[in-house]
Amino acid sequence: MPQFSSHLSSAVLGVSNILHLQQFHAQLIQHALHRHDYWVARLIAFCTRFHAPSDYTRIFDSTHQPGVMVFTNMLRYYSKCGGNSEILTLFEEMQRCGLKPDECVYPVLIKAAGKGGVLFHSQFVKMGLDCGKYIRNALINAYGKYGPIEAGRQLFDEMTERSVADWNAIILGYWNWGSEGEAKRLFDLMPDKNVITWTTMVSGYSKMKDLENARSYFDRMPEKSVVSWNALLSGYAQNGFSEEALSLFNEMVSTGVTPDETTLVSVISSCSSCGGPALAESVVNTLGDRGVRLNLFVKTTLLDLYAKCGRLEMAQKIFNELGVHRSSVTWNSMISAYMRTGDITAARELFDQMPEKNVVSWNSMIAGYAQNGRSSLAIELFKEMIKEQIMPDEVTMASVISACGHLGALELGNWVVNFINAHHLKLSLSGLNSLIFMYSRCGSMNEAKMIFNEMETRDVVSHNALITGFAAHGNGVEALKLLEKMKDEGIKPDRITYIGVLTACSHSGMLEEGRKVFESIKAPDIDHYACIVDLLGRVGKLDEAKRVIKEMPVSPHVEVYGSLLNACRIHKRVDLGEFAANKLFELEPENAGNYILLSNMYASARKWKEVDRIRELMKTRGLMKTTDGAGWKLKRKMQAAGYIADKSNVLRDVEDEDKEEMVGTHSEKLAVAFCLLVSEPGTVIRVVKNLRICWDCHTAIKMISKLEKREIIVRDNNRFHHFKDNVCSCNDYW
DNA sequence: GTAGGGTTAG
């Protein structure tokens, strides 16, 4: 140390926060030493330690001729508190000043270079330089982060003396590459573990969702730091254990540990499912009083919390206040906020304005479109993404496959599957679930079953997707088998499972089995009642159906009466049909379908007067214009044949589509949906029994065959219609 | 003076 006043030398030892730092800086100015290399370097080191805001770095600008030490500490500051671009700029400046990087600079550079950091290694070897211990540690870290981890291990093994930091680096590396076993082996072998070693284990188990082990290492730690608490806290928060996270936070506070910004992020994000904005606000306020600042992470988390709790105006407020400081996560969170409320226009505007989109931005938009019933927009955006050469990931794929399923676009779906294979992408659990859904939706039950059987782990959604597929295809036996199988595997059926199984029973006329399933439901909800009413109705047990409706603990909704009405039509029970229809007229006076159904029922009972009465009723209620005959006829026929559930999502989706989304008239849309639903390339389209291809359908299929350039064969009773190149072999309808 | 913890999308 240079010869300075002993007063300063002892004063520097007492600097332990930013305020001290400012006071000390003032003292240096008094002694005219504030531009001296040694002291500037020390000041910058303090800035790094206290995470001082970047305007403190003016200290650096005030030096006349910064030496290596000042540059190095400044680089360290940027490495911890700033960005990598500043590091590279500063490094270039350093070289311009004719200063040679030394052993202390390289570790910073290796870290800043990211993936390229490991290139330094070969450089050193080529130059015949011996890597010092800090450089070697930085290299092990780089290999641990970007691979190959084996290269890091080799470095580690070759070392004659290993520091705690080296052990920690290699253990972390193994966790990064998912090698729990090797990480644990080295941990057990390690002679002197410190708090970082233990925290690495806690965080490793947290990240692989093994919270029991994370907790057990946490409890066994000889000492804990804030980071240790945060590691476990984030493990709970990110895996949906919000209550555990909040109670751990309480434990943390009562132990006397001072939480920091990172703590806040986990706590606030847990509040979105537990406690809500009020709890988050009170935590923010109490910690704010203790001097915890709200950084960008915290503000973004808060924004997300408000958005998830329906307080869009607060989310928007934070978004506006952040201005240019917004990160891409902030943007993405706001996009999802709008998508959640169904405001796809506002979401799109943000997406277009966003300065730097990442894959999550694209995923948020694609998923948002898909969830708002705009599957074709989702797929359009996906195609745009490919065109822009943005690499989709497993999340993109899950949404896109699901959108294909909703559209019944099997060919596109198969293209996506090929894309996944070609780019060696892995499908996540939800991606595979989407795939089962898509195949089921497109009528490819064999493929759906194959995917299901090949899955390593299956959850309740996987089972539901397949069961719903069986239901749509009237395969009650398989649906029931799967219900039993999932129970055996310890997967608890949920309400969707039971809707699927009951629908399957209904579509295959399995009365007794359906009854048994219904009775086994602990707390049947209104949809389950609708299913059992449908089942009873279809097999002709109409009075029993009516009794069930009467005894329902909740007031029946449209689906319940709709099922009953449909059953009355099939079984020609005009009396009960009138009862159901009148209820429906009360519940949804605007739905012309109910009137049509009742009118058809009268027609089949040859009660022509009543038919006219209903027609008049519709006219006076102004409902005639929405009932362009062919479309409804098609829908009714499909319903009558039991091929598609009464409230099939396909039909609903098509009806919900905006006009711009599909070409053709309303009835053609129905036809298109129908065709896409049952078609599969290379197979003959099965047309539901008694359904003749009407003119609309004919047009629509021609359109599909032209657009998709595919050959479609449709069997209509005993005739075959062969569609190819905009021509149909059987043109009776023209 | 090397090492551990954080927000968004299915």
Side-chain angles (χ1 to χ4, degrees):
Chain A
M1 198 211 279
Q3 292 303 308
F4 294 120
S5 88
S6 58
H7 167 67
L8 285 176
S9 307
S10 59
V12 73
L13 298 174
V15 177
S16 61
N17 61 33
I18 292 187
L19 199 69
H20 293 159
L21 178 58
Q22 278 173 321
Q23 290 164 353
F24 187 71
H25 192 204
Q27 282 181 34
L28 286 177
I29 294 173
Q30 256 179 17
H31 290 79
L33 284 170
H34 60 290
R35 295 179 172 200
H36 195 284
D37 229 42
Y38 172 81
W39 289 114
V40 171
R42 292 212 61 172
L43 288 177
I44 296 171
F46 281 129
C47 288
T48 313
R49 200 194 303 168
F50 308 139
H51 278 87
S54 59
D55 32 315
Y56 278 80
T57 55
R58 267 175 309 178
I59 294 168
F60 172 81
D61 299 330
S62 69
T63 37
H64 292 302
Q65 269 185 323
V68 180
M69 193 60 187
V70 172
F71 266 109
T72 309
N73 280 4
M74 201 57 216
L75 286 170
R76 284 194 185 123
Y77 173 82
Y78 281 136
S79 161
K80 215 160 203 152
C81 315
N84 286 347
S85 58
E86 283 121 332
I87 293 181
L88 295 177
T89 322
L90 198 65
F91 180 61
E92 280 164 14
E93 197 182 329
M94 183 175 173
Q95 284 177 315
R96 268 203 307 277
C97 295
L99 296 169
K100 274 202 151 173
D102 62 7
E103 252 218 316
C104 301
V105 178
Y106 277 117
V108 186
L109 291 178
I110 291 169
K111 196 177 166 194
K115 216 175 170 175
V118 295
L119 295 177
F120 280 95
H121 193 190
S122 45
Q123 205 78 24
F124 290 139
V125 173
K126 224 186 281 168
M127 285 154 61
L129 287 175
D130 178 45
C131 310
K133 60 177 193 172
Y134 293 131
I135 294 178
R136 226 175 283 183
N137 182 274
L139 286 172
I140 296 177
N141 265 298
Y143 282 123
K145 219 174 193 167
Y146 306 103
I149 177 71
E150 291 76 16
R153 179 58 184 265
Q154 203 187 335
L155 257 173
F156 178 82
D157 285 341
E158 282 167 8
M159 290 165 86
T160 41
E161 255 178 78
R162 300 179 192 98
S163 69
V164 182
D166 297 323
W167 282 91
N168 289 345
I170 192 73
I171 291 175
L172 176 65
Y174 278 116
W175 276 118
N176 287 340
W177 290 91
S179 312
E180 177 204 343
E182 202 52 28
K184 195 181 168 311
R185 217 177 64 81
L186 285 169
F187 176 84
D188 292 336
L189 235 59
M190 186 170 169
D192 303 300
K193 307 169 184 55
N194 67 3
V195 62
I196 296 179
T197 324
W198 284 92
T199 307
T200 307
M201 296 306 278
V202 173
S203 122
Y205 281 113
S206 276
K207 280 192 182 130
M208 62 178 297
K209 301 167 195 240
D210 183 352
L211 291 160
E212 272 173 36
N213 264 314
R215 180 82 214 204
S216 119
Y217 276 84
F218 180 80
D219 289 337
R220 276 159 30 212
M221 287 177 81
E223 54 160 332
K224 298 177 179 74
S225 71
V226 200
V227 183
S228 327
W229 286 89
N230 289 346
L232 187 59
L233 208 51
S234 71
Y236 283 138
Q238 281 168 19
N239 292 297
F241 299 105
S242 307
E243 282 168 37
E244 284 84 351
L246 292 175
S247 84
L248 186 71
F249 174 65
N250 281 332
E251 204 182 313
M252 175 179 180
V253 174
S254 56
T255 315
V257 184
T258 310
D260 63 4
E261 288 101 326
T262 307
T263 319
L264 267 185
V265 170
S266 291
V267 172
I268 296 172
S269 67
S270 296
C271 287
S272 44
S273 61
C274 206
L279 181 60
E281 278 159 6
S282 79
V283 171
V284 167
N285 289 336
T286 43
L287 293 192
D289 295 342
R290 287 210 231 161
V292 177
R293 286 175 25 247
L294 300 190
N295 63 13
L296 179 59
F297 275 109
V298 180
K299 285 178 184 164
T300 300
T301 312
L302 260 177
L303 183 158
D304 194 62
L305 163 88
Y306 281 125
K308 280 185 177 145
C309 298
R311 301 262 303 269
L312 205 62
E313 74 301 337
M314 282 301 286
Q316 182 75 62
K317 192 170 160 258
I318 297 175
F319 185 78
N320 293 342
E321 281 168 5
L322 279 173
V324 290
H325 301 296
R326 294 184 275 232
S327 71
S328 50
V329 179
T330 320
W331 284 90
N332 293 343
S333 185
M334 202 65 212
I335 289 175
S336 314
Y338 278 123
M339 279 301 193
R340 223 172 277 126
T341 61
D343 193 344
I344 58 173
T345 320
R348 181 68 199 226
E349 264 168 29
L350 284 183
F351 180 75
D352 290 336
Q353 279 171 28
M354 218 178 144
E356 271 174 48
K357 301 180 193 39
N358 60 15
V359 66
V360 179
S361 323
W362 290 86
N363 290 350
S364 307
M365 285 300 295
I366 292 173
Y369 279 141
Q371 283 155 9
N372 283 294
R374 308 294 291 262
S375 304
S376 32
L377 282 179
I379 285 171
E380 225 169 79
L381 198 64
F382 171 66
K383 286 180 179 166
E384 207 177 303
M385 183 177 179
I386 303 285
K387 221 165 56 191
E388 301 258 323
Q389 308 212 337
I390 313 289
M391 195 56 188
D393 64 6
E394 53 177 44
V395 178
T396 325
M397 291 319 188
S399 298
V400 170
I401 294 173
S402 161
C404 290
H406 280 288
L407 289 174
L410 185 61
E411 271 167 88
L412 186 63
N414 282 330
W415 182 85
V416 173
V417 172
N418 287 336
F419 183 92
I420 290 167
N421 294 333
H423 291 84
H424 307 289
L425 289 169
K426 241 189 93 206
L427 272 183
S428 62
L429 179 61
S430 23
L432 291 167
N433 288 346
S434 298
L435 203 57
I436 298 176
F437 164 76
M438 184 194 81
Y439 282 131
S440 297
R441 209 67 200 268
C442 297
S444 312
M445 287 314 288
N446 286 336
E447 274 82 358
K449 275 191 269 188
M450 210 174 74
I451 301 291
F452 181 87
N453 290 328
E454 284 172 2
M455 280 167 81
E456 277 171 31
T457 47
R458 294 177 276 259
D459 66 357
V460 62
V461 181
S462 331
H463 289 83
N464 290 351
L466 199 57
I467 288 178
T468 309
F470 287 138
H473 294 84
N475 196 338
V477 180
E478 289 264 30
L480 279 169
K481 255 201 249 166
L482 198 51
L483 175 68
E484 288 313 312
K485 203 176 148 221
M486 74 188 277
K487 281 187 193 159
D488 289 344
E489 285 175 16
I491 294 169
K492 238 181 112 203
D494 63 5
R495 54 179 296 277
I496 310 280
T497 318
Y498 286 116
I499 292 174
V501 175
L502 288 174
T503 309
C505 290
S506 180
H507 284 180
S508 32
M510 297 164 69
L511 175 64
E512 282 318 312
E513 291 85 347
R515 258 193 197 138
K516 247 192 219 153
V517 169
F518 181 76
E519 275 156 19
S520 76
I521 306 176
K522 281 191 194 76
D525 76 8
I526 188 151
D527 294 318
H528 300 126
Y529 276 101
C531 290
I532 194 75
V533 167
D534 187 68
L535 170 57
L536 291 167
R538 271 174 206 270
V539 297
K541 304 256 178 211
L542 286 163
D543 297 299
E544 193 179 336
K546 196 188 170 187
R547 207 177 60 233
V548 170
I549 293 179
K550 240 172 134 182
E551 288 165 5
M552 273 171 68
V554 275
S555 69
H557 61 357
V558 173
E559 276 72 17
V560 177
Y561 290 118
S563 295
L564 186 63
L565 179 59
N566 189 39
C568 293
R569 193 191 52 77
I570 297 169
H571 298 285
K572 299 197 182 2
R573 280 285 299 270
V574 179
D575 58 325
L576 258 182
E578 280 173 332
F579 160 79
N582 284 326
K583 290 281 185 192
L584 282 170
F585 295 164
E586 276 171 35
L587 287 170
E588 37 171 27
E590 301 293 312
N591 186 346
N594 300 323
Y595 297 83
I596 302 277
L597 210 53
L598 184 63
S599 153
N600 285 352
M601 201 165 72
Y602 284 135
S604 59
R606 301 185 175 280
K607 296 194 169 187
W608 306 115
K609 255 193 202 154
E610 297 298 316
V611 172
D612 287 341
R613 188 175 65 80
I614 298 297
R615 283 186 165 275
E616 281 307 307
L617 196 62
M618 288 180 72
K619 258 188 212 164
T620 51
R621 295 188 181 178
L623 297 172
M624 283 307 262
K625 56 179 178 293
T626 59
T627 59
D628 51 292
W632 281 106
K633 232 181 283 163
L634 181 67
K635 184 176 172 179
R636 292 296 157 216
K637 282 190 179 182
M638 287 159 68
Q639 287 180 346
Y643 198 86
I644 292 167
D646 291 348
K647 281 283 171 179
S648 156
N649 287 326
V650 171
L651 295 178
R652 196 157 51 202
D653 280 355
V654 173
E655 282 169 357
D656 287 346
E657 298 276 7
D658 277 354
K659 284 200 182 83
E660 66 199 28
E661 281 232 65
M662 274 198 160
V663 199
T665 65
H666 180 78
S667 43
E668 279 171 0
K669 287 184 200 170
L670 289 177
V672 170
F674 164 63
C675 293
L676 288 176
L677 182 78
V678 296
S679 75
E680 193 184 336
T683 59
V684 174
I685 293 179
R686 294 152 294 163
V687 172
V688 291
K689 58 177 184 246
N690 301 326
L691 176 74
R692 292 170 61 85
I693 296 187
C694 62
W695 182 84
D696 312 74
C697 197
H698 217 269
T699 317
I701 299 172
K702 254 171 86 171
M703 200 170 78
I704 300 171
S705 87
K706 190 181 160 191
L707 283 175
E708 301 206 18
K709 294 190 182 57
R710 67 190 245 208
E711 210 173 322
I712 300 176
I713 303 167
V714 178
R715 189 176 161 184
D716 166 15
N717 288 341
N718 290 322
R719 264 181 317 179
F720 282 90
H721 305 250
H722 198 123
F723 297 83
K724 198 185 174 185
D725 302 327
N726 207 22
V727 182
C728 179
S729 59
C730 171
N731 267 336
D732 321 23
Y733 292 90
W734 287 93

